[in-house]
Amino acid sequence: MQFPNDDNGQLLSEIAAAGVDLTQMQKIDFYILFEQKDNAERFIETISKDDLAPQTKLGKCPDTGVWEVLTTVTMVPMHELLAQTEQYLESIANGHEGYGDGWGLMAQE
């Protein structure tokens, strides 16, 4: 399987090499960071009303003190779709003074 030469392509290549079937639906975790907890909570409130309807979880990084919203979306991890979803979530986060910090996929056991 060939992947574009960018960060998402590199990550997809590593995931495929680990044996994950990228043609199947997977739970993809998108990481959105906020300096202020109330901004993170407003983001969660906004995104929970969205048709995308991801699962969200709020946590605080003990090392940096930054608030992190883990947004889980079930999708087929195609390069273009990942980039579009990442951009979409970031566009909502930007309205709440948040910013994207990438994505990841936990292999199903």
Side-chain angles (χ1 to χ4, degrees):
M1 201 174 230
Q2 294 289 340
F3 300 100
N5 187 21
D6 61 13
D7 290 342
N8 284 346
Q10 177 66 33
L11 189 52
L12 283 169
S13 176
E14 292 170 10
I15 292 169
V20 176
D21 184 353
L22 299 180
T23 66
Q24 300 297 312
M25 297 288 274
Q26 303 286 343
K27 290 184 179 186
I28 310 294
D29 295 329
F30 294 88
Y31 302 91
I32 309 293
L33 305 181
F34 299 85
E35 298 293 330
Q36 303 295 320
K37 183 178 183 182
D38 58 333
N39 290 333
E41 290 170 338
R42 282 196 289 278
F43 170 77
I44 290 171
E45 184 178 325
T46 300
I47 200 68
S48 68
K49 297 174 186 172
D50 194 276
D51 288 340
L52 190 59
Q55 299 172 329
T56 58
K57 182 173 143 183
L58 177 62
K60 187 172 185 179
C61 178
D63 297 328
T64 64
V66 173
W67 292 92
E68 177 182 79
V69 177
L70 175 66
T71 304
T72 304
V73 179
T74 301
M75 60 192 287
V76 174
M78 297 176 2
H79 185 272
E80 185 175 338
L81 186 56
L82 283 164
Q84 290 171 347
T85 304
E86 198 170 26
Q87 183 178 25
Y88 175 69
L89 291 171
E90 286 181 20
S91 72
I92 295 170
N94 290 340
H96 300 284
E97 299 182 38
Y99 52 96
D101 193 36
W103 59 271
L105 182 155
M106 293 298 292
Q108 303 298 317
E109 298 289 324

